[in-house]
Amino acid sequence: MPSSGNSTMSANAATAEQMADAEMNRLLTALRAAQAEIGRTVLGQERIVEDLLIGLIAGGHVLLEGPPGVGKTLLVRTLATATGLSFARVQFTPDLMPADITGSMVLVPDTNGRNTLEFQRGAIFTQLLLADEINRATPRTQSALLEAMQERTVSAAGQTMPLPEPFFVLATQNPLEMDGTYILPEAQIDRFLLQLDVPLPTAETLAAILDSTTGSVSTTVQQFLTPADILAIQALVRSVPMADHVRRAIANFAISTHPVGANASADVKRYLRFGLSPRGAQALVLAAKGHALLNGRFNVSFDDIRAMLLATTRHRVHLNFEGRADGVSLETLLGRLLDASIKGVL
């Protein structure tokens, strides 16, 4: 017969588990409510909104690409409001300097009337940073984001300062305005968990947008999450289990994209310039976990990997000159490589 002490411990453990389940359900309910709220404001971009939230809860940064006027900036502002994140916007231009982003030393008068040097923090010290038209700044300025995006710190004035948590960079670039732009270096692009292509709306969606934005009634965005909630969901995403054979399929897929690999296929050797980095494979794992959790499942399936494949790899795996000249579809090639890797572990 168990003692009363053991019974009390068992009851406490059951209560703690129930509280944990209740908290997880609360967080996921709030996350879906935020998703619906963003979709109510940014019409016709349901998949982009879902992927954007996956990037946020997976703890990664997102690069948005699309023609002007499709609502990229509105999408970011709405996300900041619905999630309760502090927000800052930097318009990237050719004359933008690194100190304009990170901050600089300035002279500040003290109570005695003397001027002292003090570090004035830049726009990067926020939770949600919009780097608007990031490819218009010089590579020197773009490099100011490298440490922040990877380490979540800024080194300036002889000290290393942590950034607020969570820290999330959303960058936009316009593929149509090529004059005065700079190609993002691989080291910069690889730090984005996802690259999302924002499409033009359909005629039906555009009619709804015109009705909601040109009238006298304005839309008010409600907040459903807090920064603490997002940190908790990020920890939850990392705890989503992944079966060994699913993990092996991702590893085999990443290796199969390298043209210098011993087992590289003929198409990979012929058409790819370089393959998926280890950071890219990590991005696919985290994005798949985020996709599973956002869709109400606490395990990762091959469907989750397929759903996040292009968003995590299209900016990391590049065709060579022959691939571009022959009109090879990178998306189709990556899909075939993933299917072969999945088949190999089943």
Side-chain angles (χ1 to χ4, degrees):
M1 181 176 179
S3 65
S4 58
N6 290 338
S7 299
T8 302
M9 292 177 60
S10 299
N12 290 338
T15 302
E17 185 177 352
Q18 291 173 358
M19 291 177 60
D21 290 341
E23 176 65 8
M24 183 174 70
N25 291 333
R26 183 192 71 82
L27 291 172
L28 295 181
T29 300
L31 180 63
R32 296 189 189 100
Q35 181 182 4
E37 182 72 1
I38 298 170
R40 187 175 64 86
T41 303
V42 184
L43 303 178
Q45 301 288 2
E46 290 80 7
R47 180 58 196 269
I48 297 298
V49 171
E50 179 181 353
D51 287 347
L52 196 59
L53 283 174
I54 288 172
L56 175 62
I57 65 177
H61 312 290
V62 178
L63 177 63
L64 295 171
E65 183 172 320
V70 295
K72 297 188 295 293
T73 303
L74 173 64
L75 176 61
V76 178
R77 288 186 178 276
T78 305
L79 174 68
T81 303
T83 56
L85 297 176
S86 60
F87 173 77
R89 173 181 176 178
V90 176
Q91 186 66 46
F92 279 60
T93 57
D95 60 347
L96 188 73
M97 299 300 291
D100 296 329
I101 303 173
T102 60
S104 59
M105 299 296 294
V106 296
L107 287 174
V108 179
D110 57 20
T111 56
N112 297 323
R114 299 176 181 176
N115 292 327
T116 58
L117 278 175
E118 185 176 301
F119 182 74
Q120 186 71 39
R121 296 190 171 196
I124 202 170
F125 287 89
T126 188
Q127 292 172 326
L128 175 54
L129 176 68
L130 171 58
D132 211 3
E133 294 185 299
I134 188 174
N135 55 338
R136 288 196 175 279
T138 63
R140 178 188 178 189
T141 301
Q142 291 174 14
S143 66
L145 291 174
L146 294 179
E147 178 188 353
M149 293 176 68
Q150 183 64 29
E151 307 296 337
R152 267 66 172 180
T153 59
V154 169
S155 295
Q159 57 180 327
T160 298
M161 295 160 282
L163 291 169
E165 292 185 341
F167 177 67
F168 190 40
V169 174
L170 278 174
T172 68
Q173 60 178 6
N174 191 332
L176 300 181
E177 298 177 5
M178 298 305 297
D179 293 338
T181 61
Y182 299 84
I183 298 176
L184 295 180
E186 283 79 7
Q188 177 77 59
I189 291 179
D190 200 37
R191 279 168 169 76
F192 287 101
L193 182 84
L194 308 175
Q195 178 182 331
L196 307 179
D197 292 335
V198 184
L200 288 168
T202 62
E204 182 180 355
T205 300
L206 180 56
I209 292 173
L210 295 176
D211 179 60
S212 64
T213 57
T214 59
S216 58
V217 179
S218 59
T219 302
T220 302
V221 180
Q222 298 183 20
Q223 178 183 341
F224 288 92
L225 290 166
T226 66
D229 289 338
I230 294 172
L231 290 173
I233 297 174
Q234 288 178 350
L236 191 60
V237 167
R238 287 185 170 269
S239 68
V240 173
M242 175 178 285
D244 288 340
H245 68 283
V246 178
R247 190 179 298 106
R248 287 200 308 273
I250 293 177
N252 293 342
F253 164 74
I255 296 299
S256 71
T257 62
H258 290 273
V260 296
N263 298 320
S265 67
D267 286 345
V268 169
K269 291 180 178 179
R270 182 178 179 183
Y271 294 127
L272 293 187
R273 185 157 63 100
F274 51 82
L276 193 65
S277 68
R279 185 187 285 127
Q282 292 169 348
L284 183 53
V285 169
L286 287 173
K289 288 185 174 186
H291 184 271
L293 192 64
L294 190 60
N295 286 275
R297 288 177 288 101
F298 203 66
N299 61 85
V300 178
S301 68
F302 288 129
D303 288 339
D304 296 313
I305 298 173
R306 291 190 178 96
M308 302 309 302
L309 173 65
L310 297 182
T312 55
T313 59
R314 62 161 62 99
H315 55 300
R316 293 183 167 96
V317 181
H318 294 270
L319 296 170
N320 58 22
F321 177 79
E322 186 175 359
R324 295 193 300 271
D326 290 351
V328 173
S329 170
L330 178 62
E331 290 79 5
T332 301
L333 179 55
L334 291 174
R336 290 205 309 265
L337 293 175
L338 178 61
D339 288 340
S341 298
I342 292 174
K343 185 179 179 180
V345 299
L346 293 179

